[in-house]
């Protein structure tokens, strides 16, 4: 069950204090209105997702001239009291507004206020992008295809010079501090030759929505391929038009531009793969998120047909605390890598998470150095079918928020927050009065010479921004060689990744008088792959990846074999506050002599009153060590029993045969527990030249 709340991996964290959760408490949506000679009748739908406590709560819908966040002078054109609305119910009613109140070529906002909800900035009481009135007086909902464009020289992208993530020249990217030259996607050859562009490769942006008519996206949007899961709930919404009604940013519109905004068209910047084919599934805004999850990720052949997708961009996470394998989700992803792309397998590209700094409970000094919640601690994040993407900044080191974990595959640029240090410049909701910049007072202004209509932002960040950079890079690879399997793509990304931040030091503490290593430096495993829990195999290096694609025979990694060991089931005490911990060895035999590890999953069962005091290390027969769970992992706070699956990519390419050692360390005094059982599952192939 995907019962946990999905949340966006934008700059804000994914957790109890998250300011951007998937579901606002209330959603309001305006439909197409009949226009009379003197007035319009605007249908308004409101859905109470269940957080607004009772039908006695007073709701008001306002139509304002401007969003309220930064403009207290906005004029209210209409104030309508809404009939009582119980949780989990929706209502539709009509408001009338006189045409002589509205000005042509203007945009109007719906504001929903519930008297029981106080904070207007937390997404409860908030603005929604209501409607525009064009010059002829016609009402336009959502993205306006007739909105003015930049009209610049079509051979250029005016914001490209500031897009450090594509070509880092030490620019400021509208922030205070310059970027560090060369810390980018290393795609100089692609930029100078103009190819490949990702042409013909289909990317699904599984997200909040997408403005299909955005001037830097429209050319790449596949007609009638997108899907609005709320078409039945949002009156008059088109099924193939998944735009988001709120005015203060559409996460999916910004994610889409990073992967595949158009190039050489005289507007905005450009995407990594400016010729890729885009579609949007607004799963994160769906009222029924569980069905939408499967339908969005390759599990549906109609309404929508997601089986046609090559790359699923998943810039979202589940809230930490889902530790077991979800059999349905496992089956969905397995179906996708087995059957889609004519059996070559779809690519599932997922954000690692933004929880490095976000300790929801106790924050210990170690958390500042090794992170708060591990990326390994969320449902599905241990799936070998995913490509988990961490974030680096314009200085070429880990972005401050980027969750660490042995489950990471690769890192991609995403930056910081765009104030002191640069973030990502990408597409924003069309118009200077809609989008992320409405509530941010820094970054590229919505009237800048290179952003004259406010269609772009320079403050988009989080591992949400890293994933679409990787998706774009994969689109380039798939155009260059459409026969690559999903495993070929992972192999090439790992093989060509660029080591960044090479001098990270290990982190050691005295635990009960023993020196305990809580974080490793970069390691090189026995197959020659470098790995670090902050970056996976390193930063995506596009030119190098394309060079290897050119010399790589597709489907050359041998049969994909999954092999599970018998469990080690001796119940043993975990020594309290002891840096040596308890270690057990499990002997693996029977894999082919030439078998290469593609992933290792540890299933572990532990009983302990404070599982977040525990670290879990795994060492391969070749002597490669990986920390699968760091000490003081905030995601475990409050869990006394762990039946957990943890993925490590650190052993990629090694042989599985031999003695595997697992170590469990309890790093805090008091509270003692037992290790009950563990086993390993291997994904195996046979790699070229090994
Ligand atoms: Ca452009
Ligand atoms: Ca905007
Ligand atoms: Ca203890």
């Amino acid at each position: 069950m995907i019962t946990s709340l999905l949340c966006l991996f934008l700059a804000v964290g994914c957790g109890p204090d998250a300011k951007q959760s998937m579901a606002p408490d209330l959603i309001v949506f305006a439909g197409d209105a009949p226009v009379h000679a003197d007035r319009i009748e605007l249908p308004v739908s409101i859905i109470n997702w269940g957080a607004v406590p009772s039908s006695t709560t007073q709701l008001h819908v306002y139509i304002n001239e401007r969003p309220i966040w930064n403009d207290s002078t906005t004029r209210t054109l209409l104030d309508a009291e809404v009939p009582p609305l119980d949780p989990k119910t929706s209502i539709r009613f009509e408001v009338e507004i006189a045409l002589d109140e509205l000005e042509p070529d203007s945009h109007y906002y719906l504001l929903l206020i519930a008297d029981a909800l106080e904070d207007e900035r937390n997404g409860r009481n908030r603005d929604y992008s209501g409607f525009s009135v064009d010059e002829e007086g016609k009402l336009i909902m959502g993205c306006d295809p007739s909105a003015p464009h930049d009209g610049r020289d079509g051979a250029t992208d005016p914001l490209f010079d500031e897009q450090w993530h594509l070509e880092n020249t030490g620019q400021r990217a509208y922030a205070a501090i310059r970027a560090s030259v060369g810390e980018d996607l290393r795609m100089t050859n692609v930029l100078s030759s103009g190819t490949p562009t990702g042409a013909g490769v289909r990317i699904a942006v599984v997200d909040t929505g997408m403005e299909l008519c955005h001037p830097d996206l429209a050319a790449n949007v596949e007609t009638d391929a997108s899907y609005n899961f709320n078409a039945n709930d949002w009156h008059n919404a088109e099924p193939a038009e998944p735009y988001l009604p709120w005015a203060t940013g559409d996460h999916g519109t910004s994610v889409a531009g990073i992967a595949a905004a158009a190039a050489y068209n005289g507007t905005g910047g450009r995407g990594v793969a400016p010729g890729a084919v885009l579609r949007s599934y607004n799963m994160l805004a769906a009222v029924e998120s569980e069905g939408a999850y499967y339908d969005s990720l390759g599990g549906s052949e109609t309404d929508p047909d997601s089986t046609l997708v090559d790359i699923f961009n998943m810039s979202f996470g589940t809230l930490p605390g889902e530790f077991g394998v979800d059999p349905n989700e496992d089956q969905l992803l397995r179906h996708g890598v087995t059957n889609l792309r004519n059996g070559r397998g779809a690519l599932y590209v997922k954000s690692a998470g933004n929880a490095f700094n976000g300790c929801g409970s106790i924050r210990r000094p170690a958390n500042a150095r090794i992170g708060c919640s591990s990326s390994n601690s969320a449902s599905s994040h241990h799936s070998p079918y995913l490509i988990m993407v961490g974030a680096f900044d314009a200085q070429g080191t880990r972005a401050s928020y980027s969750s660490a974990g042995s489950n990471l595959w690769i890192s991609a640029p995403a930056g910081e927050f765009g104030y002191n240090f640069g973030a990502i410049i990408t597409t924003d909701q069309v118009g200077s009065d809609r989008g992320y910049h409405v509530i941010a007072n820094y970054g590229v202004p919505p009237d800048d010479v290179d952003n004259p209509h406010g269609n772009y932002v320079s403050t988009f960040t989080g591992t949400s921004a890293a994933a679409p950079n990787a998706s774009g890079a994969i689109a380039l690879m798939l155009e260059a060689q459409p026969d690559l399997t999903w495993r070929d793509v992972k192999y090439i990304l790992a093989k060509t990744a660029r080591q960044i931040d090479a001098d990270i030091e290990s982190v050691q503490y005295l635990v009960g008088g023993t020196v305990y290593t809580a974080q490793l430096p970069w390691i090189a495993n026995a197959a020659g792959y470098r790995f670090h829990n902050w970056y996976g195999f390193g930063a995506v290096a596009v030119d190098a990846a394309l060079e290897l694609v050119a010399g790589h025979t597709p489907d050359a990694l041998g049969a994909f074999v999954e092999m599970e060991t018998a469990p080690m089931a001796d119940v043993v005490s975990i020594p309290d506050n002891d840096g040596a911990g308890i270690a057990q060895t499990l002997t693996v035999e029977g894999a082919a002599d030439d078998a290469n590890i593609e992933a290792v999953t540890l299933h572990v069962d532990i009983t302990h009153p404070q599982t977040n005091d525990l670290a879990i290390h795994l060492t391969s027969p070749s002597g490669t060590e990986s920390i699968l769970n760091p000490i003081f992992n905030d995601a475990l706070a409050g869990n006394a029993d762990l039946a957990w699956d943890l993925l490590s990519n650190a052993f990629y390419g090694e042989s599985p045969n031999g003695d595997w050692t697992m170590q469990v360390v309890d790093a805090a005094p008091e509270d003692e527990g037992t290790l009950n059982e563990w086993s390993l599952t291997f994904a195996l192939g046979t790699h070229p030249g090994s």
Side-chain angles (χ1 to χ4, degrees):
M1 295 280 287
I2 314 294
T3 49
S4 52
L5 287 172
L6 297 156
C7 58
L8 308 183
F9 276 167
L10 194 56
V12 291
C14 221
D17 300 324
K19 296 288 192 293
Q20 294 255 3
S21 67
M22 161 218 165
D25 305 310
L26 293 158
I27 179 174
V28 61
F29 187 80
D32 296 333
V35 182
H36 303 278
D38 59 341
R39 68 191 194 284
I40 56 170
E41 292 169 11
L42 189 68
V44 177
S45 298
I46 298 174
I47 302 165
N48 181 356
W49 251 307
V52 176
S54 81
S55 59
T56 60
T57 299
Q58 290 294 310
L59 299 177
H60 279 258
V61 169
Y62 300 90
I63 295 176
N64 289 339
E65 276 183 332
R66 276 181 269 278
I68 62 164
W69 307 130
N70 55 3
D71 192 345
S72 58
T73 66
T74 186
R75 192 165 60 106
T76 294
L77 306 176
L78 184 139
D79 169 1
E81 191 169 328
V82 180
L85 186 59
D86 288 324
K88 308 280 186 195
T89 55
S90 62
I91 192 170
R92 184 187 157 220
F93 60 98
E94 282 163 7
V95 297
E96 282 196 9
I97 185 163
L99 279 177
D100 59 12
E101 295 270 10
L102 305 175
E103 284 181 29
D105 220 9
S106 298
H107 196 88
Y108 296 93
Y109 293 81
L110 273 78
L111 171 66
L112 182 63
I113 290 192
D115 63 3
L117 302 175
E118 291 166 6
D119 184 354
E120 293 184 344
R121 286 214 166 212
N122 71 359
R124 293 174 172 222
N125 293 330
R126 60 182 295 177
D127 279 304
Y128 298 84
S129 175
F131 55 92
S132 302
V133 182
D134 73 7
E135 285 180 357
E136 280 99 50
K138 183 169 163 262
L139 291 188
I140 295 161
M141 305 291 171
C143 190
D144 177 2
S146 66
H149 291 194
D150 298 11
R152 303 272 296 265
D153 172 8
T156 63
D157 297 288
L159 290 170
F160 170 76
D161 287 346
E162 298 296 324
Q163 288 185 299
W164 63 269
H165 65 289
L166 300 174
E167 187 170 46
N168 193 329
T169 59
Q171 62 271 71
R172 292 188 198 277
Y174 304 95
I177 296 168
R178 288 188 180 282
S180 298
V181 176
E183 299 298 349
D184 54 30
L185 283 166
R186 295 290 172 101
M187 56 187 292
T188 309
N189 294 346
V190 171
L191 294 170
S192 58
S193 69
T195 59
T197 63
V201 179
R202 288 183 166 124
I203 301 174
V205 178
V206 183
D207 214 290
T208 53
M210 190 196 292
E211 295 210 334
L212 306 185
C213 81
H214 191 290
D216 227 3
L217 299 177
N220 290 340
V221 171
E222 188 174 359
T223 306
D224 290 335
S226 296
Y227 196 75
N228 180 356
F229 289 100
N230 295 331
N232 290 333
D233 299 281
W234 293 356
H235 179 70
N236 284 350
E238 294 292 334
E241 179 78 25
Y243 71 91
L244 195 69
W246 31 100
T248 49
D250 176 10
H251 189 264
T253 292
S254 294
V255 165
I258 295 172
Y264 315 117
N265 65 342
T267 183
R270 52 165 283 168
V272 179
V277 183
L278 286 168
R279 63 176 63 198
S280 159
Y281 300 139
N282 63 348
M283 184 270 289
L284 293 179
V287 179
E288 299 290 340
S289 64
E290 185 168 351
Y293 191 91
Y294 295 101
D295 290 352
S296 295
L297 292 170
S300 170
E301 291 183 3
T302 53
D303 301 328
D305 185 355
S306 57
T307 65
L308 299 173
V309 172
D310 298 310
I311 301 167
F312 295 95
N313 188 84
M314 305 162 72
S315 287
F316 56 84
T318 41
L319 291 175
E322 297 272 318
F323 304 121
V325 167
D326 178 332
N328 294 330
E329 188 168 13
D330 185 65
Q331 199 172 25
L332 173 72
L333 299 175
R334 189 186 297 252
H335 163 74
V337 298
T338 306
N339 299 314
L340 302 193
R341 294 183 60 239
N342 294 318
R344 296 180 189 92
L347 282 305
Y348 291 94
V349 181
K350 192 156 200 274
S351 303
N354 298 340
F356 196 95
N357 289 329
C359 288
S361 55
I362 305 166
R363 186 182 176 89
R364 297 181 185 256
N367 291 126
R369 302 183 69 190
I370 65 174
C372 285
S373 289
S374 162
S375 178
N376 233 338
S377 325
S379 171
S380 86
H381 280 200
H382 45 70
S383 170
Y385 312 125
L386 297 173
I387 297 175
M388 299 298 300
V389 186
F392 66 88
D393 62 22
Q395 268 57 45
T397 56
R398 181 181 52 76
S400 57
Y401 48 79
S402 184
S403 297
S406 58
N407 58 325
L408 268 62
W409 194 262
I410 206 85
S411 296
E416 293 295 339
F417 299 90
Y419 184 73
N420 287 320
F421 294 96
I424 298 294
I425 297 169
T426 184
T427 42
D428 185 45
Q429 284 172 309
V430 171
S432 59
D433 44 9
R434 307 170 61 235
Y436 286 114
H437 52 77
V438 171
I439 49 173
N441 57 2
Y442 58 91
V444 60
D447 57 356
D448 187 89
V449 62
D450 290 333
N451 185 27
H453 305 293
N455 296 342
Y456 304 92
V457 283
S458 66
T459 55
F460 197 73
T461 187
T463 53
S464 278
N469 272 311
S471 293
I474 293 168
L476 301 179
M477 294 163 67
L478 293 184
E479 185 203 340
Q481 177 46 274
D483 290 338
L484 293 176
T485 67
W486 69 281
R487 292 164 61 213
D488 290 327
V489 169
K490 292 187 77 170
Y491 168 78
I492 291 164
L493 288 173
K495 197 91 176 168
T496 57
R498 174 172 68 96
Q499 188 188 30
I500 55 175
D501 200 6
D503 300 326
I504 306 169
E505 293 181 345
S506 64
V507 175
Q508 295 179 319
Y509 296 98
L510 266 185
V511 177
T514 304
V515 176
Y516 166 69
T517 299
Q519 180 171 282
L520 298 165
W522 277 93
I523 58 149
N525 75 16
Y529 292 91
R530 291 198 184 99
F531 190 87
H532 194 280
N533 281 7
W534 286 8
Y535 302 110
F537 297 103
V540 175
V542 171
D543 286 342
L546 289 169
E547 202 172 307
L548 182 51
V549 167
H552 179 80
T553 305
D555 200 14
L557 301 182
F560 186 66
V561 176
E562 292 178 270
M563 184 179 96
E564 187 169 357
T565 70
M568 167 73 75
D570 296 333
V571 178
V572 289
S573 298
I574 303 164
D576 186 42
N577 194 36
D578 179 350
I582 177 79
Q584 287 186 331
T585 297
L586 192 156
T587 302
V588 173
E589 49 196 3
D593 288 344
D594 59 355
N596 296 110
I597 292 171
E598 298 199 359
V600 178
T601 309
L602 166 72
H603 319 276
V604 63
D605 186 307
I606 287 172
T607 306
H608 194 285
Q610 291 289 346
T611 51
N612 55 328
D613 290 346
L614 304 179
I616 300 173
H617 297 228
L618 186 66
T619 302
S620 72
S622 306
T624 301
E625 185 179 5
S626 178
I627 301 178
L628 280 65
N629 181 61
I631 52 168
F632 309 136
N633 177 4
D634 191 61
L636 303 186
N639 279 278
D641 293 294
L642 267 187
W644 199 7
D645 296 285
L646 291 157
L647 181 80
S648 179
N649 292 316
F651 311 107
Y652 190 70
E654 292 189 344
S655 168
N657 287 330
D659 291 344
W660 289 80
T661 303
M662 189 190 62
Q663 178 195 23
V664 181
V665 172
D666 175 345
E670 304 176 5
D671 301 316
E672 296 178 46
T674 56
L675 166 62
N676 305 326
E677 185 176 310
W678 62 285
S679 62
L680 299 172
T681 298
F682 296 94
L684 301 171
T686 308
H687 290 187
S690 59

